[in-house]
Structure formats: C-alpha cells, structure tokens
Amino acid sequence: MSIVVTPSGQACGARVTGVDLSGDLSPDLMAEIRAAWLKHRVLAFADQTMDDDALERFTLAMGGFGEDPFFDPISGREHIAAILREADETSPLFAESWHSDWSFLPQPPSGTCLLAVEIPPVGGDTLFADQATAFAALPDARKAELRQLMAAHSATRGYSPNGLYGDSDKGRSMAIRPSEAALAKQTHPLIKPHPETGEEVIFCSPSYVVGIEGMDEADAMQLVLELIEWQTRDEFTYRHAWEPDMLVMWDNRSVLHKATGGYEGHRRELHRTTVAA
C-alpha cells in the first residue's frame, strides 16, 4: 500500500499517513519516502507508535547516523539525543534562531529526525524555510553575485565555552557539551547545488556563518542579515504544529529551521537522530 502524502499548502512540508514506521522498512517503502522527502523537504509522519529502536532503524534506512558533536546522547544510546525542556525551565529557548543543522562540519548531515515523546498542549511549533524556493525567486543578477561567494561556518556562537550554550548557561535540561572544538571554521559555497535534486539552495544562516571570503566582518554580517530577511519571507516558510506520536524529518540541505516557544509551564521532549551526509 502506498503512503498518503498531503502537502501542507505552505512553501514546503507534507503530512504522511498510511505507513507504520515501527514495522517493515522495505526498500520500496524507503524509496517512496525518500522521493516525497526530496519533493516536500519536510515530512511529518502522523500516528506513529515508534520507540527508540524504531527511530534508529528508520535513521539507518535513510542513510545512517550522522555526527552530533555537541550533544550527549540519552542513556543507553549512541545516536539519540533528547531535545528537552522541563516545565519550570527558565534558560533561553534552545535553537530559537534560524540554522541548518551542523553546517560548520566538513560534510553537514543530510537530514534530521525528531520523534515526539512529550508534546505540550500549546506552542512549540517548528518553523522551516525553503532555501531552494528562496534562491529561485531572486533576480538573476543577484543569483550570479551570490554564486561567487564562499561562507565561513563555525559553532562558536552557540557551543564554544563562551557561547550561548557554553559555561555560563545554567539550569538547562538538555545535555549540551560545549567545547573548544566549536571555534573551528569550515568554508562552504554560499549557494550549493542539492546533491540529489541538483536544485541550487542558499546555504547560509546567522547562527553559524561567521564570515564571507573577501569581505570584512562588518560587510559580511550585513550581507548575512540582509539574506536572512529574504530567506525567511512568509512565502518561503512552513510552520509545523506538533502532535503526539509524530515523527518529523527534514532535508538539512534545502531548509533552514528554528524553534518557537509558547509552552511555558509544560514539559516538552523529542528524541533526535541525525542522518549522515
């Protein structure tokens, strides 16, 4: 039986029904899922009964485990991290700025999976921004300019000892491990072809881009700020509302994402795996 894919009606994203991801993940099923993923960029699988074993099996079927350099895994697992916020937590919201997961790595992951464990009754939506559509909508002259640029990515703002989640970050329930390794830089083209679809995408975010080759720091940051205003315009975004028993998977190569709050006084937990490049 084929999966049922219902587009969100927004810039990207689709709801998937008619499949039990805790069961057999046949090659034909995974090919169907991958095709839908590449087309819609974000897939939300409703009404799943998955445990951590099933989450790991699905991640392996999608391409294997990627690296999570600054998260400690949950007990008894090597590749699952808890995206967790306790009901009484007052630390700044995790991942509240636009980013592409681990873009500072030499080979950033192809995707991310989040499995709902405990979903609050209000708030906690995840926002996504389609970077292929955002690039395609630019004027041709602007596209040509951006294709010439190389961006330096680094985790320093978030995960260095002096970063947002560094040594001064207290009272956080998530198991984040800041490190001097976050100071390293990795260069990527500002405009990258998607390795599977060939679409050109904007590969840039204010979370991780710390410079542009050939520009001074002020000009580079001004460009990043100008770009993010374009990249996240309403016509390029999708707002995902979480449900219990839901798995969400996104294409890290073609979308940016960010967390939102609005669930103060409620606990929220999702289990995350990273899909290898």
Side-chain angles (χ1 to χ4, degrees):
M1 179 179 178
S2 294
I3 61 176
V4 178
V5 181
T6 305
S8 70
Q10 302 176 50
C12 58
R15 184 183 180 92
V16 181
T17 54
V19 62
D20 177 5
L21 297 180
S22 68
D24 179 46
L25 302 176
S26 69
D28 286 347
L29 172 63
M30 294 311 299
E32 198 173 0
I33 288 173
R34 194 170 198 91
W37 184 53
L38 293 175
K39 179 178 179 180
H40 298 285
R41 314 194 198 286
V42 184
L43 297 181
F45 297 88
D47 302 320
Q48 297 301 312
T49 56
M50 300 174 73
D51 57 13
D52 289 332
D53 287 339
L55 176 59
E56 289 186 336
R57 287 195 300 271
F58 180 75
T59 307
L60 287 169
M62 281 300 301
F65 297 117
E67 181 182 355
D68 280 318
F70 302 110
F71 293 160
D72 280 331
I74 62 174
S75 178
R77 303 283 169 168
E78 291 185 36
H79 303 289
I80 298 177
I83 308 302
L84 172 64
R85 189 173 182 84
E86 296 291 356
D88 58 353
E89 192 165 327
T90 58
S91 60
L93 189 67
F94 176 71
E96 199 175 13
S97 63
W98 290 104
H99 64 286
S100 175
D101 283 336
W102 307 149
S103 69
F104 49 81
L105 293 176
Q107 289 189 305
S110 64
T112 303
C113 299
L114 281 183
L115 176 64
V117 175
E118 186 170 348
I119 300 300
V122 293
D125 293 354
T126 304
L127 303 182
F128 297 93
D130 183 337
Q131 297 307 289
T133 302
F135 182 74
L138 286 168
D140 288 344
R142 185 61 163 163
K143 290 179 184 176
E145 292 172 3
L146 297 178
R147 288 188 184 110
Q148 306 306 310
L149 301 178
M150 300 289 291
H153 297 241
S154 173
T156 185
R157 293 190 186 115
Y159 298 101
S160 69
N162 293 324
L164 180 62
Y165 310 118
D167 294 340
S168 63
D169 185 39
K170 305 299 183 184
R172 185 175 298 279
S173 51
M174 272 188 65
I176 298 175
R177 51 168 188 250
S179 162
E180 295 283 350
L183 301 174
K185 294 181 181 179
Q186 177 66 46
T187 301
H188 294 291
L190 192 70
I191 307 303
K192 295 181 72 171
H194 191 288
E196 294 187 71
T197 68
E199 298 169 290
E200 291 181 292
V201 303
I202 305 173
F203 197 65
C204 181
S205 77
S207 294
Y208 294 137
V209 171
V210 296
I212 304 291
E213 287 190 354
M215 290 187 182
D216 64 32
E217 183 177 358
D219 288 342
M221 291 304 98
Q222 182 62 35
L223 174 60
V224 171
L225 292 175
E226 289 174 0
L227 270 179
I228 198 64
E229 285 191 16
W230 176 264
Q231 291 168 265
T232 59
R233 288 165 64 106
D234 287 348
E235 59 263 40
F236 307 139
T237 60
Y238 159 56
R239 187 178 192 101
H240 174 73
W242 283 87
E243 301 171 10
D245 301 323
M246 176 171 275
L247 175 76
V248 173
M249 173 179 64
W250 63 86
D251 189 335
N252 195 55
R253 304 160 298 183
S254 60
V255 298
L256 298 179
H257 65 283
K258 64 176 289 190
T260 69
Y263 53 95
E264 294 77 9
H266 299 283
R267 189 177 189 274
R268 183 175 185 266
E269 182 176 359
L270 305 107
H271 283 186
R272 165 183 161 144
T273 56
T274 301
V275 184

